[in-house]
Amino acid sequence: ARLLSVAPRVPGTEWLEPVCEEYLAHRFDVLGSGWTHVRHGMRCRGLEDAVFEPGAPVTADRSGLWLEGRVTAANLDESRRIWSLASEGYVPIDWHLDIKSGYRWGEGTWYRDIAVAPERGADIKVPWELARCHHLPQMALLAGWSDTGERNRLARDFRDQVLDFIATNPPRFGVNWACAMDAGIRAANWLVAYDLFRATGAEFDGEFEGVFGRSVLEHGRHIRANLENEADVPGNHYLADLVGLLFCAGYLPRTEETGEWWTFASKAVLAETEAQFLGDGANFEGSTGYHRLSAELAVWAVALIVRIDGADGVPAAAVARLERMAEFVRDTAMVSGRDPQIGDTDSGRLLKLGAHYRWATLGEAAARYENLCDLEGEPGSRYWLEEQLDHRHVMAAVAGLVGRDDLAERSGEWVDQHLVATLAGERLEPAAQRDAAAQVRIGDGADLAGAVQMLGNLGGERCVVQHFALGSDRASSFTTLCGYPEFGLYVFRGPHAYLTVRCGPVGQGGCGGHAHNDQLGIVLEVDGYLEVCDPGSYLYTPLPSRRNEYRSVRAHNAPRVAGREPASLDFDIFRLDDPGARCVYFGEKGFAGYHDGYGVRVWRLVEFGDGQMTVTDWSEDPGVKLVAPDAQSAPPFSPGYGWREREGIGSR
């Protein structure tokens, strides 16, 4: 199929040329690795104090003899044949390596035998992320804005990288087949890149077309046989499986097999879009980061369904969900445009066409981020950093599909809008009541007065009070309120100040796999400066202690009892019990709410007046003493998975 067209160039994409030069040199920045030349036998810098010895370097002969002892004997002949199609002099990428710690999974391991956390420090997300191939559509995007010679160079490396992957990752062997979600995201990125390259006029030889098409078919078969819907409440993994299967079925020739994929996946995607996004539009997993990922999955999938089945194939309820998920991104973005990082931030994406990079000198970047050490290059050279907390491209993508020009105006210019519109071929009529979250108010003056009265009866010694300046000339700093009670987030915003209060379910039907101990926690931004921040997530399985450090109540400005957590961190690094948080008042005068996570009821009251904000915490049990949140005890700010600022710098 040919579904996409070349996108017009938009402002803010000047990073694409230098970043694609890195890709052409097989240098990648993967989940905090820093720009790293990825090759067989490389020595890795290590993840904190965890580092593994490198394997032997590879001399990749054209005939593929170097693959012996790597892929299984049954796959060797075909892997060698595919490898021989790569360009003369092409150097292979090591797709099986965690390029941070140096741990390597074997090519010959059956996918169900892959160990997710084999040793301390080994992060399976790193090879998975590289093998999602987010960089290939970016290369194709640049090809559409380049002359013939550059376009051919980009297309040739796309071809070689795909052949390299297929030759060294036979179906169902190795780390990159262990998770169906990653196979689905990879297939979507391959197909979008291929389509965009074809739209530029690039042509590929018949041998490559055959290998490529067969691998897409194998991806679809693998996903269909390994759907991740066994949990009581399927989440983003299952949605990604369905979207990957949908892309495979939408681009491959229609057969009885691919037709069944399409029928199944198109219905299931629409059902999951309604199931995984709450009535207020927020994602059910309790994480703004996972909201971004799942929203991307939903909007691109629905656009493909519109293209193949027409607009009549999309119910109004699904359109309304798309609009509201875009409004959630709009309403929760800080004045600076960044995401507040409620719950986990794993930097997961479907497509990274909507991306922003900013440059600093290498010396500045290394001085700011502790994960950037021993980097190659001159200290004064440009170093491109991905801005991972800007989610506004989701609004642009939805605006490309649904007739909501207000979302396009608010998001700014992104290529996502054009490409989603091109993929769909027509726009859907809006179906949601606009700005429903701005109408949400909880409680009334009596409810607020009740909380204030309770506070007055306690006496000051049982209360913890914090004061924050909003500016003496801004007594009414918050001009817009947006409530998302189903997600559990309450937003106060104005032209210069922004505040969120977290209060609600832990997500995932009570499992809380991506939630943190942040109930009643706040994020405060004034004039673009983060006065109070959520530090993010940093890492998952490679260092469980770090995982818990970032999930803990100490990482958040929330009511705190010395030495205790409101929900235990000991059961599982992907489980957090619900402490029963409830908002009692949300309105122009502030916020009042409580939770029972400590075994006793603790309250937080937020009040505004005279250009300042007062936050007061207390416990209903006189025997339980709260302590003040301490920003110094919080871990360093992490602006994305694997990234960590050096101690004492903080987020600006």
Side-chain angles (χ1 to χ4, degrees):
R2 288 281 305 281
L3 305 179
L4 296 170
S5 66
V6 175
R9 187 144 199 178
V10 299
T13 54
E14 68 283 347
W15 54 269
L16 197 54
E17 284 89 349
V19 165
C20 284
E21 282 298 325
E22 299 280 5
Y23 300 151
L24 290 167
H26 295 180
R27 289 171 53 87
F28 304 96
D29 186 356
V30 185
L31 301 179
S33 68
W35 290 103
T36 302
H37 182 198
V38 182
R39 59 200 184 277
H40 290 268
M42 62 180 288
R43 179 173 291 277
C44 300
R45 295 195 298 270
L47 176 62
E48 297 193 13
D49 62 344
V51 60
F52 297 89
E53 287 299 309
V58 163
T59 301
D61 61 293
R62 188 71 183 277
S63 68
L65 287 173
W66 70 279
L67 294 167
E68 290 186 14
R70 292 179 175 271
V71 301
T72 63
N75 287 310
L76 181 59
D77 287 347
E78 182 62 4
S79 288
R80 289 183 61 185
R81 184 187 75 82
I82 293 168
W83 169 257
S84 71
L85 300 176
S87 301
E88 184 74 39
Y90 173 83
V91 178
I93 294 167
D94 191 345
W95 301 99
H96 301 264
L97 179 68
D98 170 4
I99 62 173
K100 294 166 72 175
S101 73
Y103 185 88
R104 191 175 192 281
W105 287 261
E107 295 95 327
T109 304
W110 181 245
Y111 76 102
R112 290 185 176 173
D113 295 331
I114 291 291
V116 172
E119 295 193 45
R120 180 184 177 277
D123 194 347
I124 200 168
K125 283 178 64 66
V126 176
W128 281 354
E129 183 75 10
L130 178 59
R132 288 180 176 186
C133 296
H134 291 301
H135 61 285
L136 295 180
Q138 292 180 1
M139 289 166 56
L141 194 65
L142 179 60
W145 304 335
S146 302
D147 59 30
T148 301
E150 182 66 7
R151 181 169 65 245
N152 290 342
R153 184 167 74 113
L154 290 160
R156 181 173 61 251
D157 207 63
F158 161 77
R159 175 187 181 277
D160 287 339
Q161 287 193 37
V162 170
L163 290 171
D164 177 7
F165 183 91
I166 297 171
T168 56
N169 292 266
R172 289 165 290 285
F173 283 90
V175 67
N176 294 311
W177 294 97
C179 178
M181 174 186 193
D182 293 283
I185 292 175
R186 177 167 58 251
N189 277 273
W190 281 9
L191 288 163
V192 167
Y194 172 80
D195 201 348
L196 286 173
F197 272 118
R198 291 291 303 276
T200 70
E203 295 183 356
F204 299 100
D205 57 279
E207 285 185 303
F208 170 77
E209 296 271 4
V211 170
F212 181 69
R214 190 182 72 178
S215 186
V216 172
L217 183 66
E218 291 285 2
H219 276 72
R221 287 172 174 167
H222 182 75
I223 297 165
R224 188 67 179 92
N226 293 277
L227 294 170
E228 296 166 277
N229 60 346
E230 296 179 355
D232 293 338
V233 185
N236 66 86
H237 276 243
Y238 181 50
L239 184 58
D241 298 343
L242 296 171
V243 174
L245 189 62
L246 198 71
F247 267 84
C248 291
Y251 274 87
L252 287 169
R254 186 58 60 94
T255 65
E256 182 178 352
E257 182 180 27
T258 61
E260 188 277 332
W261 296 352
W262 179 266
T263 300
F264 164 73
S266 59
K267 291 180 179 178
V269 158
L270 294 173
E272 289 301 313
T273 296
E274 292 190 49
Q276 295 193 28
F277 289 89
L278 305 166
D280 59 15
N283 187 261
F284 87 116
E285 302 216 37
S287 155
T288 53
Y290 279 89
H291 177 89
R292 187 258 296 269
L293 168 62
S294 296
E296 284 186 9
L297 290 165
V299 68
W300 281 89
V302 172
L304 186 56
I305 290 170
V306 171
R307 180 58 172 267
I308 304 296
D309 290 342
D312 292 341
V314 182
V319 180
R321 284 290 198 276
L322 291 172
E323 294 178 70
R324 286 179 173 151
M325 64 180 72
E327 289 182 349
F328 180 79
V329 171
R330 178 197 66 191
D331 294 342
T332 57
M334 291 186 262
V335 177
S336 61
R338 292 175 295 185
D339 175 71
Q341 297 201 96
I342 306 302
D344 276 342
T345 301
D346 85 329
S347 304
R349 303 286 301 275
L350 172 63
L351 299 162
K352 277 194 176 182
L353 293 165
H356 275 168
Y357 286 79
R358 59 182 175 82
W359 72 269
T361 68
L362 187 151
E364 290 169 343
R368 185 176 183 88
Y369 298 105
E370 69 174 31
N371 54 294
L372 300 182
C373 58
D374 302 324
L375 293 172
E376 302 172 8
E378 295 297 323
S381 60
R382 282 196 173 192
Y383 193 88
W384 290 91
L385 296 163
E386 183 181 356
E387 175 51 76
Q388 300 184 64
L389 296 181
D390 191 340
H391 298 181
R392 290 175 293 180
H393 60 277
V394 172
M395 288 189 280
V398 172
L401 180 59
V402 184
R404 289 287 302 271
D405 292 336
D406 61 307
L407 294 175
E409 292 173 6
R410 184 65 177 270
S411 67
E413 294 187 84
W414 300 80
V415 295
D416 306 64
Q417 182 176 352
H418 170 84
L419 292 173
V420 167
T422 299
L423 180 63
E426 59 179 306
R427 295 181 89 188
L428 301 173
E429 289 296 320
Q433 174 190 353
R434 295 193 183 188
D435 307 325
Q439 310 307 314
V440 172
R441 298 292 183 272
I442 295 177
D444 55 23
D447 296 296
L448 180 62
V452 172
Q453 180 64 44
M454 185 189 310
L455 175 60
N457 293 338
L458 294 177
E461 70 278 358
R462 286 179 53 192
C463 302
V464 172
V465 182
Q466 302 174 81
H467 298 285
F468 299 94
L470 302 176
S472 58
D473 59 337
R474 302 190 189 114
S476 300
S477 295
F478 302 115
T479 55
T480 304
L481 279 64
C482 295
Y484 288 89
E486 292 182 69
F487 179 90
L489 195 64
Y490 299 89
V491 184
F492 302 81
R493 62 185 313 121
H496 301 281
Y498 165 99
L499 168 72
T500 63
V501 184
R502 171 80 168 112
C503 180
V506 294
Q508 294 183 329
C511 177
H514 292 305
H516 294 183
N517 273 338
D518 59 357
Q519 293 293 345
L520 304 181
I522 62 171
V523 172
L524 175 65
E525 182 189 58
V526 179
D527 289 329
Y529 180 88
L530 269 172
E531 298 281 355
V532 179
C533 72
D534 186 308
S537 301
Y538 184 42
L539 293 169
Y540 284 178
T541 58
L543 299 175
S545 62
R546 291 291 194 208
R547 165 78 171 144
N548 283 338
E549 183 182 10
Y550 279 82
R551 292 199 300 163
S552 73
V553 70
R554 292 189 305 105
H556 304 88
N557 187 307
R560 191 179 304 183
V561 176
R564 295 171 61 184
E565 291 286 339
S568 176
L569 303 176
D570 298 331
F571 297 129
D572 189 303
I573 62 171
F574 291 108
R575 180 181 176 85
L576 204 66
D577 289 339
D578 197 323
R582 183 188 168 203
C583 172
V584 173
Y585 175 82
F586 168 63
E588 284 70 16
K589 294 182 179 180
F591 170 93
Y594 64 80
H595 74 70
D596 300 319
Y598 293 110
V600 299
R601 183 157 292 176
V602 295
W603 285 77
R604 171 161 281 191
L605 176 66
V606 179
E607 299 174 283
F608 308 130
D610 297 326
Q612 72 171 6
M613 179 177 77
T614 302
V615 178
T616 308
D617 302 335
W618 71 91
S619 167
E620 290 188 7
D621 185 338
V624 176
K625 181 176 176 57
L626 301 186
V627 296
D630 179 12
Q632 299 303 314
S633 70
F637 188 76
S638 171
Y641 188 94
W643 288 84
R644 182 171 156 105
E645 292 191 350
R646 294 190 184 276
E647 298 280 355
I649 291 182
S651 179
R652 301 292 184 267

